[in-house]
Amino acid sequence: MNKRNFIGRISEIKRLEEIYASSNFEFGIIYGRRRIGKSTLLKEFIQKKNAIYLVANEKKIEFNLNLFANEISKITGNSHIKFSSFSDMMTYVFETIKTKMILIIDEFTYLVSNNKAILSELQNAIDKYRNDSMLKLIISGSHVGMVEDMLAYKKPLYARKTFALKLKEFDYLDASLFFPKFSYEDKIRIYALCGGIPYYLQLFDDSKTLKENIINIFIRPHASLENELDFLFQSEFRKKSVYSSILQVVANGKTKLNDISQLSHINDTAKTSTYLKPLIEMELIKKEFAFKASSKRRTIYKIKNNLVNFVYTFLEENRTSHNLLNPDDFYDIFIEQRLDEYVSLIFEDICIQYLIKRNKIVESSEKVIDIGHYWLNDNKSSIQIEIDICTKTLKDYIIYECKWTNSKVDIHIMFDLENKSQKINDFTVKGIGAFSKSGFTTEVKEKYARIFDLNDLFS
């Protein structure tokens, strides 16, 4: 990772070490979206261990088998290996390697996409040799839907795996480890720009300013992530224009299904739902229900991938200006004044992450068992309220305000939250709290206990 030490993935490494310690055959799958750090994790795991690391590509199976034979020969010492099929390769591995050994086939989904029979061949090899083998067989893939389908009931690999790890994005705290010299504010701003994707995070240089990083990574000609979304669409979607239109509409704040359908010019909510499904599966968009709402109709769609959100919020809509202006001017005109407004929306999710982490490690009588956002737009009663964070504890409901502003949270903000809490008709609020970028006034500190600033978030 750009000359950095390995960062994060503590629980994943621990699980893999437990698997390696086993004296039995193990077969597992590590998967997750592109750029999430699968290969980095696997390479870290196999350091100083007996391992064969194979990387598949999109070429024909014969080409891959030749590559695999070359790598396997380095371990077995047999330079004359040739495989006529995937089954032939697995038979050779199982019959030749009798000691504890890790065999990784990275990007396994490339093999399967060109030859579905490989799944049955792998199943047959596992069934035949698993009882007499100490092999630790790991396959990985970036096509999440395909991997999950491979593991489904009645599919060849069903019930063969002994473990499966789906890699998620880093949370804001692990993400901040990539740039320790930045201030807490800039660490959160960077998370708002690109989320917890390791590949993106390692591009930031904390010896430069945030502005310099944004220009180098996103804005200048040949910027590091200039073509990232094109790469994403080419590898995952055929109808780029439709998906791009949906993402642009949602990034612009239109979150209801009917609005998305109309403004993306699909004009059919059923078709729009069909297009939204792969975007949700790829974790580019998320579907949210109002917290504890009595009606499931109170549903919205939001951008889940922060990089996609940032690009569609600031770059896609301003393509012409991006081409006309020099990078510094583009940043000053289109990003600088709106950046914190953009960050404020993502700050709510960061505060939720904090509450989840805190809930697992801090002993408290207010253990959270559910969490989310709440909104109510009732035209009949003229009630329109939004609550940034709602939690259900073992005893009560507690709500929080999140403020990413340069002003301290004062007593009026807390009183306003108390007033909003009384208008909620889906549950009864018993306590309130707040998160603040800039801290709290003395009056708020004296009156309320559930208040958190950036020092708390990074403690």
Side-chain angles (χ1 to χ4, degrees):
M1 289 187 181
N2 197 28
K3 297 184 180 180
R4 288 181 170 92
N5 294 327
F6 183 76
I7 293 173
R9 303 297 184 207
I10 295 173
S11 63
E12 290 87 349
I13 286 288
K14 181 180 179 182
R15 179 69 182 112
L16 290 171
E17 292 292 352
E18 292 171 351
I19 290 160
Y20 184 70
S22 164
S23 59
N24 301 319
F25 168 79
E26 302 281 353
F27 167 56
I29 299 178
I30 295 179
Y31 66 109
R33 57 149 295 182
R34 296 181 191 280
R35 314 295 206 190
I36 203 69
K38 299 180 296 297
S39 299
T40 302
L41 171 66
L42 289 168
K43 290 173 182 176
E44 175 70 15
F45 165 58
I46 64 175
Q47 284 191 21
K48 300 180 181 180
K49 295 183 177 69
N50 294 324
I52 303 172
Y53 188 89
L54 309 177
V55 183
N57 59 51
E58 295 178 283
K59 296 183 179 180
K60 291 183 178 181
I61 184 63
E62 293 80 9
F63 183 86
N64 280 286
L65 289 174
N66 285 335
L67 289 179
F68 295 168
N70 289 335
E71 292 301 317
I72 293 171
S73 68
K74 295 176 184 178
I75 300 297
T76 63
N78 183 354
S79 60
H80 303 292
I81 305 173
K82 286 190 177 181
F83 302 130
S84 59
S85 65
F86 184 80
S87 178
D88 186 27
M89 182 188 85
M90 292 309 303
T91 297
Y92 178 86
V93 169
F94 275 114
E95 292 186 350
T96 304
I97 299 174
K98 298 298 184 181
T99 57
K100 183 184 289 189
M101 176 73 71
I102 303 168
L103 172 61
I104 294 171
I105 308 177
D106 205 352
E107 297 297 356
F108 181 78
T109 47
Y110 285 153
L111 298 180
V112 177
S113 62
N114 293 323
N115 190 341
K116 297 292 191 293
I118 285 176
L119 294 177
S120 296
E121 293 177 27
L122 181 56
Q123 173 206 334
N124 292 335
I126 290 172
D127 290 348
K128 183 176 180 180
Y129 294 104
R130 66 186 303 167
N131 292 334
D132 301 311
S133 176
M134 296 176 65
L135 188 70
K136 318 301 177 188
L137 174 59
I138 302 174
I139 61 177
S140 80
S142 300
H143 197 302
V144 173
M146 184 184 295
V147 171
E148 292 178 341
D149 183 67
M150 290 188 321
L151 302 177
Y153 180 63
K154 292 187 177 180
K155 292 300 174 70
L157 296 184
Y158 177 75
R160 267 71 185 183
K161 69 175 176 63
T162 58
F163 67 95
L165 299 178
K166 182 178 181 180
L167 297 194
K168 298 285 189 177
E169 292 189 27
F170 288 140
D171 62 27
Y172 76 94
L173 197 57
D174 280 344
S176 72
L177 299 176
F178 283 81
F179 21 79
K181 296 179 184 178
F182 276 128
S183 66
Y184 291 158
E185 289 91 341
D186 281 349
K187 288 177 179 180
I188 285 180
R189 290 184 182 106
I190 293 172
Y191 184 84
L193 298 179
C194 63
I197 304 295
Y199 177 80
Y200 305 150
L201 295 168
Q202 55 89 28
L203 297 173
F204 285 84
D205 182 351
D206 58 10
S207 68
K208 295 180 169 62
T209 65
L210 180 63
K211 175 181 177 178
E212 289 172 328
N213 274 280
I214 292 175
I215 288 174
N216 289 338
I217 295 170
F218 295 101
I219 302 174
R220 67 174 174 80
H222 313 299
S224 304
L225 297 179
E226 179 182 27
N227 299 313
E228 181 64 15
L229 293 195
D230 289 335
F231 166 77
L232 176 67
F233 280 115
Q234 287 170 4
S235 61
E236 302 293 344
F237 301 118
R238 292 180 181 177
K239 296 184 177 181
K240 174 185 175 181
S241 59
V242 177
Y243 291 108
S244 184
S245 296
I246 290 173
L247 291 169
Q248 186 67 71
V249 169
V250 178
N252 287 344
K254 303 302 181 182
T255 59
K256 295 182 179 179
L257 180 60
N258 189 57
D259 292 339
I260 296 169
S261 184
Q262 290 183 5
L263 294 172
S264 60
H265 305 292
I266 300 172
N267 297 317
D268 183 329
T269 54
K271 286 185 178 179
T272 306
S273 295
T274 301
Y275 285 120
L276 283 165
K277 185 177 179 181
L279 292 171
I280 293 171
E281 288 176 348
M282 285 191 61
E283 300 184 340
L284 303 184
I285 278 183
K286 59 184 175 182
K287 183 178 182 179
E288 283 193 9
F289 300 99
F291 182 79
K292 298 300 179 184
S294 56
S295 171
K296 292 298 183 184
R297 295 179 63 187
R298 280 157 62 186
T299 304
I300 61 173
Y301 296 86
K302 295 167 67 176
I303 303 286
K304 185 174 184 179
N305 182 292
N306 288 355
L307 177 82
V308 170
N309 201 0
F310 176 77
V311 169
Y312 276 95
T313 299
F314 292 100
L315 303 180
E316 285 293 314
E317 275 206 321
N318 302 303
R319 276 183 174 270
T320 300
S321 299
H322 189 192
N323 293 327
L324 288 171
L325 297 169
N326 69 50
D328 282 88
D329 287 342
F330 182 86
Y331 179 90
D332 293 341
I333 296 170
F334 290 100
I335 295 180
E336 185 172 37
Q337 300 304 316
R338 292 181 55 207
L339 183 58
D340 275 343
E341 177 189 349
Y342 165 83
V343 173
S344 67
L345 300 175
I346 295 168
F347 184 55
E348 296 173 13
D349 292 326
I350 290 172
C351 296
I352 286 179
Q353 290 179 25
Y354 169 79
L355 288 174
I356 292 172
K357 292 177 76 72
R358 184 174 183 271
N359 198 55
K360 293 178 180 179
I361 62 175
V362 176
E363 289 300 322
S364 170
S365 60
E366 295 182 347
K367 282 292 182 183
V368 176
I369 58 175
D370 200 3
I371 195 165
H373 303 288
Y374 182 86
W375 60 91
L376 175 63
N377 297 300
D378 189 339
N379 293 326
K380 291 182 180 179
S381 60
S382 298
I383 295 177
Q384 293 189 353
I385 56 173
E386 291 187 11
I387 307 295
D388 295 337
I389 301 176
C390 300
T391 65
K392 183 181 187 304
T393 72
L394 292 172
K395 296 180 179 179
D396 300 310
Y397 289 92
I398 299 169
I399 64 174
Y400 297 85
E401 184 84 4
C402 301
K403 289 295 184 182
W404 185 262
T405 64
N406 292 327
S407 301
K408 293 182 177 182
V409 169
D410 60 27
I411 200 70
H412 300 291
I413 292 173
M414 302 305 289
F415 285 167
D416 182 57
L417 182 60
E418 288 182 353
N419 290 333
K420 286 194 289 186
S421 74
Q422 296 170 12
K423 298 177 183 178
I424 297 173
N425 57 19
D426 292 291
F427 53 91
T428 302
V429 176
K430 293 296 184 180
I432 69 169
F435 289 83
S436 173
K437 168 196 165 193
S438 302
F440 304 88
T441 63
T442 301
E443 193 174 8
V444 171
K445 290 179 181 178
E446 292 174 349
K447 184 176 176 60
Y448 298 95
R450 304 180 191 92
I451 54 174
F452 307 95
D453 59 19
L454 297 191
N455 289 318
D456 294 308
L457 265 64
F458 286 93
S459 63

